[in-house]
């Protein structure tokens, strides 16, 4: 299997960098780096997928991995797209799938990003990892850091659901509880990382979690016979998944694997923390920090996402939109998904169905649409 060299391009300014060492953010402007490959796989490579193993690393030629290099992996990815004909009928859609990311190792799609980030950082010689988390990133880092034999320190809000905190400790991380939200954890984590020479793998403070999340987009396209669906609804916190899928859909088109319009990307956030929705509705290019963020959808409690402007670009370029839903609607829809489709949805997953109702009502999503909702994490983690 071929692998391609890559370098880093700043997402906001003209800066570039080579990918050696432990890259963080652009030193000139502080914006996230995006990975740029010297070349992309040719469409003939499609025919080799039949013999590849079922993990996200089946797409290793789209990923930052050297020839023959073993990734730090727990078999993440290869999650099912579960059809939900009852919902398709109810909302008058051609087809509706729920991509069940709860079936990843560690119970959420954070596994994908951490597998890629830990692979690169461990290879570059990181001696310790740290991260602030709203919950699931901490579980994933604990597991993947452990797998790489690198110690992990996690900073989580004190009121994070108990099952998530227990999982963080189960995989061996040193857990510190903070009075505050993920932004407050981030401040403490960055001081800790600087003082302890730990590598901070917070969302978009290193470039490889996005590359891992790209594999969701590759899986969706492959499941549809290398075609795009019409629209995707994605619960947006830090925005890694949204940005990753936007990036890979463009790469797939550039490489001639898939033709046609990019899928419309729709962000759903919680009414109690909706910086991307607010900026989208105002036609702004940047998000503003959200005061007093509060939501039961822990993964969406990100008041000041570093990738806010990238999220807005992804929505605009794909002709998508952003909607906010209430905690009550997200929770009720999570239950509806569990009872109707037998997928144990998290509140974030429930939020995508609540958003679908709004987007259908507003005429954004129409009758002939093929739609994919993302259940980004397992409901049981919140109980
Ligand atoms: C982290 C998380 C999100 C938000 O993901 P981003 O890619 O950072 O926007 C959504 N749902 C769950 C369950 C999460 O853990």
């Amino acid at each position: 299997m071929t692998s391609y060299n890559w370098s880093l391009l700043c997402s906001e300014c003209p800066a570039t960098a080579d990918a050696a060492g432990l890259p963080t953010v652009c030193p000139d402007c502080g914006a996230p780096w995006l990975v740029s490959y010297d070349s992309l796989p040719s469409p003939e490579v499609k025919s080799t997928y039949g013999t590849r193993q079922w993990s996200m690393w089946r797409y290793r030629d789209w990923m930052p991995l050297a020839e023959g290099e073993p990734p730090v992996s727990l078999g993440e990815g290869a999650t099912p797209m579960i059809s939900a004909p009852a919902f398709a009928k109810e909302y008058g859609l051609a087809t509706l799938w729920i991509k069940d990311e709860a079936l990843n190792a560690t119970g959420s799609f954070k596994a994908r990003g951490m597998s890629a980030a830990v692979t690169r950082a461990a290879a570059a010689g990181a001696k310790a990892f740290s991260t602030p988390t709203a919950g699931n990133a901490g579980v994933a880092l604990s597991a993947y850091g452990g797998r790489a034999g690198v110690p992990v320190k996690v900073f989580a809000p004190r009121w994070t659901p108990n099952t998530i905190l227990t999982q963080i400790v189960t995989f061996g991380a040193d857990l510190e509880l903070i009075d505050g939200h993920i932004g407050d954890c981030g401040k403490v984590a960055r001081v800790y990382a600087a003082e302890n020479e730990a590598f901070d793998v917070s969302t978009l403070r290193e470039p490889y979690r996005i590359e891992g999340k790209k594999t969701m987009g590759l899986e969706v396209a492959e499941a549809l016979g290398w075609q795009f669906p019409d629209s995707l609804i994605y619960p947006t916190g830090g925005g890694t998944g949204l940005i990753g899928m936007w990036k890979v859909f463009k790469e797939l088109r550039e490489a001639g694997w898939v033709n046609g319009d990019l899928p419309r990307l729709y962000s759903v956030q919680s009414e109690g923390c909706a910086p991307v929705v607010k900026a989208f509705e105002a036609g702004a290019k940047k998000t503003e920090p959200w005061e007093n963020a509060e939501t039961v959808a822990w993964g969406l409690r990100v008041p000041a996402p570093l990738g806010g402007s990238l999220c807005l670009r992804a929505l605009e370029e794909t002709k998508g939109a952003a909607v906010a839903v209430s905690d009550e609607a997200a929770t009720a829809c999570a239950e509806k998904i569990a009872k109707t489709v037998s997928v144990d949805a998290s509140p974030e997953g429930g939020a995508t169905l609540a958003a679908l109702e709004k987007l259908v009502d507003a005429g954004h999503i129409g009758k002939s649409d093929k739609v994919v909702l993302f259940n980004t994490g397992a409901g049981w983690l919140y109980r």
Side-chain angles (χ1 to χ4, degrees), residues 317-336:
E317 206 179 292
T318 64
K319 305 188 171 64
V323 284
V325 301
S326 68
D327 277 2
E328 293 70 30
T331 310
C333 283
E335 202 179 316
K336 188 170 166 183

Side-chain angles (χ1 to χ4, degrees), residues 20-380:
L22 287 164
T24 57
V25 291
C26 172
D28 295 347
C29 73
W33 290 118
L34 293 174
V35 173
S36 167
Y37 297 89
D38 290 356
S39 183
L40 294 169
S42 85
E44 285 94 75
V45 173
K46 278 181 198 173
S47 63
T48 66
Y49 277 72
T51 57
R52 296 190 185 192
Q53 74 169 64
W54 285 102
S55 88
M56 76 171 201
W57 293 101
R58 67 197 264 100
Y59 307 106
R60 57 183 290 151
D61 23 22
W62 296 87
M63 303 283 284
L65 201 65
E67 196 104 29
E69 181 184 11
V72 178
S73 175
L74 293 162
E76 55 294 316
T79 59
M81 299 236 290
I82 298 177
S83 67
F87 291 158
K89 193 160 170 234
E90 183 177 345
Y91 299 107
L93 308 170
T95 325
L96 180 72
W97 294 278
I98 298 178
K99 186 145 176 75
D100 192 9
E101 289 294 302
L103 298 178
N104 277 296
T106 73
S108 84
F109 73 155
K110 292 291 193 300
R112 297 179 189 261
M114 288 303 180
S115 176
V118 167
T119 294
R120 288 274 46 88
K127 292 281 175 289
F129 291 123
S130 66
T131 196
T133 184
N136 291 327
V139 182
L141 182 63
S142 181
Y144 284 89
R147 182 92 176 150
V150 176
V152 172
K153 175 91 181 182
V154 172
F155 298 88
R158 188 172 301 283
W159 306 113
T160 306
N162 209 41
T163 308
I164 295 181
L165 296 179
T166 307
Q167 287 281 292
I168 292 172
V169 175
T170 298
F171 292 116
D174 181 15
L175 172 65
E176 190 166 323
L177 298 177
I178 303 293
D179 292 307
H181 56 61
I182 187 169
D184 304 309
C185 295
K187 285 177 202 147
V188 186
R190 275 188 286 287
V191 174
Y192 174 89
E195 284 173 357
N196 294 277
E197 290 181 50
F199 185 59
D200 178 357
V201 292
S202 328
T203 302
L204 301 184
R205 286 190 185 275
E206 62 75 56
Y208 298 117
R209 281 175 65 185
I210 291 182
E211 294 302 296
K213 295 273 182 95
K214 265 181 18 178
T215 57
M216 288 189 291
L218 289 160
E219 286 177 15
V220 168
E222 187 184 3
L224 302 185
W226 296 109
Q227 294 198 341
F228 291 142
D230 297 297
S231 44
L232 281 85
I233 306 181
Y234 179 83
T236 306
T240 346
L242 187 79
I243 298 162
M245 286 193 280
W246 171 53
K247 182 173 189 282
V248 82
F249 290 146
K250 291 199 292 182
E251 288 173 348
L252 280 166
R253 252 194 357 192
E254 189 188 327
W257 284 50
V258 185
N259 300 317
D261 291 341
L262 296 175
R264 299 191 307 275
L265 298 178
Y266 294 101
S267 269
V268 53
Q269 297 199 298
S270 168
E271 282 172 0
C273 182
V276 173
V277 178
K278 192 172 172 197
F280 180 83
E281 285 173 351
K285 300 272 175 239
K286 279 183 5 193
T287 51
E288 296 296 332
W290 190 273
E291 302 289 333
N292 304 319
E294 199 55 69
T295 169
V296 295
W298 281 80
L300 307 187
R301 204 169 166 217
V302 184
L306 183 62
S309 29
L310 279 168
C311 291
L312 293 164
R313 265 155 63 188
L315 301 178
E316 191 193 315
E317 206 179 292
T318 64
K319 305 188 171 64
V323 284
V325 301
S326 68
D327 277 2
E328 293 70 30
T331 310
C333 283
E335 202 179 316
K336 188 170 166 183
I337 292 172
K339 300 283 190 298
T340 314
V341 192
S342 294
V343 165
D344 181 14
S346 58
E348 294 85 345
T352 64
L353 183 62
L356 175 68
E357 295 187 6
K358 288 197 163 183
L359 291 164
V360 168
D361 285 348
H364 281 289
I365 292 185
K367 300 239 172 286
S368 59
D369 274 5
K370 295 180 186 165
V371 182
V372 185
L373 309 184
F374 285 80
N375 178 40
T376 42
W380 60 262

